[in-house]
């Protein structure tokens, strides 16, 4: 018998994966006929993390007859076919849902905005802590919107795919921190979901430096944190962690000067500028003014959605798993 980690447990496995850790091999799983939720087998298995009543282990089985009642285990039934690329190998004969399959599973009980957030984390270039939040370090993206779309195509009609596809339209890849995810979601989501109606954005877009400016830039290109191609606007998030000390400050100012000289309008966000909703709202207004984006009034319902999104993405109590 085998264990198949899924839902929150699979999300926990992938989002805490660090840059120096190996990605397991994709498994050629075609059926869940041997999937188990037996407590004895779970206790004997070598798992990547612990579990408890407060944070149960989520596993997948083929039918209701295979489910077991336990305070520490949540078993989910997947009655449909198992598509190629749905699972990766763990220790022994145990498996974990792929990032793409995990995205589909999370659509079962998450809102569209929450699912967009999860998609951005899966497609982002950083890991988070086992507490379910908080930047840990860089790593390569676990998947891409294109891979997610391809997997959804293979799962047409399966439970959760419709909501997952709706959320995927707003997933921006290559973000490098939780605060960048806050910014891209505020930019790309429609007002009904908490967004501010901005033009297309790209995270960590490569911006070539003019040859004459390369000695000052000490680089042939920069990566714009949040780049808006249509208005040649770039929003940088200057964190205390990465932008302190004389060298960092000099580098940040030189970078900003070079970008402005190349007619790339640049605005910086710092923690102190966006640490309350009112400040964040004013910052978005400032971005629109600087980039020449039309301002508009939002209804009470839309502003409530914006406040809800901001609170979710900045609250220390919000956890992804």
């Amino acid at each position: 018998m085998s264990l198949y980690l899924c839902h929150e447990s699979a999300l926990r496995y992938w989002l805490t994966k660090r840059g120096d850790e190996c990605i397991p091999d994709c498994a050629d799983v075609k059926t869940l006929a041997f999937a188990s939720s037996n407590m004895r087998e779970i206790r004997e298995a070598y798992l990547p993390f612990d579990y408890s009543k407060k944070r149960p282990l989520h596993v997948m089985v083929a039918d209701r007859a295979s489910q077991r009642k336990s305070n520490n285990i949540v078993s989910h039934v997947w009655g449909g076919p198992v598509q190629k690329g749905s699972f990766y190998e763990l220790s022994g004969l145990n498996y974990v849902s792929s990032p793409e399959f995990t995205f589909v599973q999370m659509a079962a009980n998450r809102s569209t905005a929450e699912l967009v957030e999860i998609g951005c984390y899966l497609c982002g270039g950083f890991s988070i802590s086992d507490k379910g939040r908080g930047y840990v370090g860089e790593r390569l993206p676990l998947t891409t919107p294109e891979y997610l779309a391809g997997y959804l195509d293979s799962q047409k009609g399966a439970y959760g795919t419709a909501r997952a596809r709706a959320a995927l339209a707003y997933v921006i890849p290559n973000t490098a921190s939780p605060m960048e995810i806050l910014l891209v979601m505020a930019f790309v989501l429609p007002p009904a979901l908490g967004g501010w109606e901005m033009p297309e954005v790209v995270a960590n877009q490569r911006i070539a430096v003019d040859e004459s400016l390369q000695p000052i830039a000490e680089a042939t290109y920069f990566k714009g944190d949040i780049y808006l191609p249509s208005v040649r606007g770039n929003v940088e998030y200057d964190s205390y962690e990465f932008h302190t000390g004389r060298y960092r400050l000099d580098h940040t100012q030189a970078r900003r000067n070079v970008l402005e000289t190349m007619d790339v309008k640049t605005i910086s966000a710092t923690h102190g500028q966006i640490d309350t909703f009112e400040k964040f709202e004013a910052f978005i207004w400032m971005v629109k003014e600087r980039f020449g984006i039309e301002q508009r009034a939002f209804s009470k319902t839309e502003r409530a959605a914006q406040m809800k999104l901001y609170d979710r993405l900045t609250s220390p109590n919000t956890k992804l798993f």
Side-chain angles (χ1 to χ4, degrees), residues 242-258:
F242 299 118
H243 294 82
T244 55
R246 180 175 177 179
Y247 170 77
R248 289 292 186 185
L249 292 172
D250 285 350
H251 175 75
T252 299
Q253 190 57 56
R255 170 190 174 98
R256 186 173 295 115
N257 290 342
V258 168

Side-chain angles (χ1 to χ4, degrees), residues 162-235:
R163 178 177 289 181
R165 191 173 295 281
L168 183 57
Y170 305 109
V171 171
I172 303 297
N174 300 318
T175 52
S177 71
M179 294 310 295
E180 287 187 18
I181 288 181
L182 166 64
L183 289 167
V184 299
M185 288 184 65
F187 285 6
V188 305
L189 287 177
L193 295 179
W196 266 266
E197 281 196 337
M198 303 285 272
E200 175 194 4
V201 304
V202 184
N204 288 287
Q205 169 71 32
R206 182 171 171 145
I207 304 171
V209 174
D210 292 348
E211 187 174 354
S212 59
L213 296 172
Q214 289 177 10
I216 295 175
E218 298 182 338
T220 57
Y221 69 91
F222 291 138
K223 284 188 176 181
D225 287 354
I226 312 296
Y227 186 64
L228 288 72
S230 65
V231 295
R232 289 182 63 79
N234 180 48
V235 179

Side-chain angles (χ1 to χ4, degrees), residues 76-112:
H76 303 263
V77 174
W78 183 264
V82 179
Q83 302 294 340
K84 182 179 180 181
S86 293
F87 291 97
Y88 281 69
E89 296 177 356
L90 287 178
S91 60
L93 296 176
N94 301 321
Y95 304 93
V96 61
S97 299
S98 68
E100 297 79 16
F101 195 18
T102 302
F103 184 65
V104 173
Q105 293 163 12
M106 299 308 295
N109 59 5
R110 301 294 180 103
S111 69
T112 301

Side-chain angles (χ1 to χ4, degrees), residues 4-309:
Y4 291 79
L5 301 192
C6 64
H7 292 75
E8 279 79 359
S9 293
L11 191 67
R12 179 183 178 186
Y13 174 82
W14 288 114
L15 295 190
T16 57
K17 181 70 67 177
R18 302 193 181 196
D20 58 352
E21 294 182 73
C22 294
I23 299 296
D25 293 329
C26 189
D28 187 24
V29 173
K30 298 178 180 178
T31 176
L32 292 174
F34 299 103
S36 173
S37 60
N38 183 277
M39 197 65 211
R40 180 181 60 80
E41 293 178 356
I42 290 172
R43 288 196 191 98
E44 293 175 354
Y46 178 77
L47 297 172
F49 41 69
D50 59 4
Y51 54 93
S52 64
K53 182 178 180 180
K54 187 176 180 180
R55 186 184 258 181
L57 188 73
H58 292 256
V59 298
M60 185 171 287
V61 293
D63 50 53
R64 294 192 181 280
S66 302
Q67 289 182 298
R68 300 289 184 271
K69 289 184 178 180
S70 170
N71 290 331
N72 300 333
I73 308 297
V74 178
S75 54
H76 303 263
V77 174
W78 183 264
V82 179
Q83 302 294 340
K84 182 179 180 181
S86 293
F87 291 97
Y88 281 69
E89 296 177 356
L90 287 178
S91 60
L93 296 176
N94 301 321
Y95 304 93
V96 61
S97 299
S98 68
E100 297 79 16
F101 195 18
T102 302
F103 184 65
V104 173
Q105 293 163 12
M106 299 308 295
N109 59 5
R110 301 294 180 103
S111 69
T112 301
E114 289 171 341
L115 201 55
V116 173
E117 180 186 9
I118 289 169
C120 287
Y121 272 92
L122 290 170
C123 296
F126 65 99
S127 56
I128 64 174
S129 79
D130 194 53
K131 295 179 180 179
R133 65 184 310 276
Y135 178 92
V136 169
E138 294 182 15
R139 60 152 167 74
L140 293 174
L142 300 164
T143 186
T144 67
E146 292 75 21
Y147 278 128
L148 288 170
Y151 187 79
L152 290 173
D153 288 341
S154 74
Q155 291 280 20
K156 282 183 179 178
Y159 183 68
T161 54
R163 178 177 289 181
R165 191 173 295 281
L168 183 57
Y170 305 109
V171 171
I172 303 297
N174 300 318
T175 52
S177 71
M179 294 310 295
E180 287 187 18
I181 288 181
L182 166 64
L183 289 167
V184 299
M185 288 184 65
F187 285 6
V188 305
L189 287 177
L193 295 179
W196 266 266
E197 281 196 337
M198 303 285 272
E200 175 194 4
V201 304
V202 184
N204 288 287
Q205 169 71 32
R206 182 171 171 145
I207 304 171
V209 174
D210 292 348
E211 187 174 354
S212 59
L213 296 172
Q214 289 177 10
I216 295 175
E218 298 182 338
T220 57
Y221 69 91
F222 291 138
K223 284 188 176 181
D225 287 354
I226 312 296
Y227 186 64
L228 288 72
S230 65
V231 295
R232 289 182 63 79
N234 180 48
V235 179
E236 301 278 310
Y237 178 67
D238 293 346
S239 69
Y240 296 140
E241 183 177 4
F242 299 118
H243 294 82
T244 55
R246 180 175 177 179
Y247 170 77
R248 289 292 186 185
L249 292 172
D250 285 350
H251 175 75
T252 299
Q253 190 57 56
R255 170 190 174 98
R256 186 173 295 115
N257 290 342
V258 168
L259 289 170
E260 289 284 351
T261 301
M262 296 192 306
D263 293 324
V264 177
K265 297 179 284 290
T266 301
I267 246 181
S268 293
T270 61
H271 177 74
Q273 286 179 284
I274 60 175
D275 61 353
T276 68
F277 175 75
E278 289 72 21
K279 288 182 182 180
F280 187 72
E281 190 175 35
F283 177 80
I284 297 291
W285 184 91
M286 183 170 61
V287 169
K288 286 189 172 184
E289 285 294 299
R290 180 71 181 92
F291 294 170
I293 299 168
E294 183 180 359
Q295 303 279 5
R296 59 152 286 192
F298 296 100
S299 68
K300 288 184 178 180
T301 301
E302 290 170 339
R303 193 162 183 270
Q306 292 167 344
M307 293 178 68
K308 181 179 179 181
L309 179 71

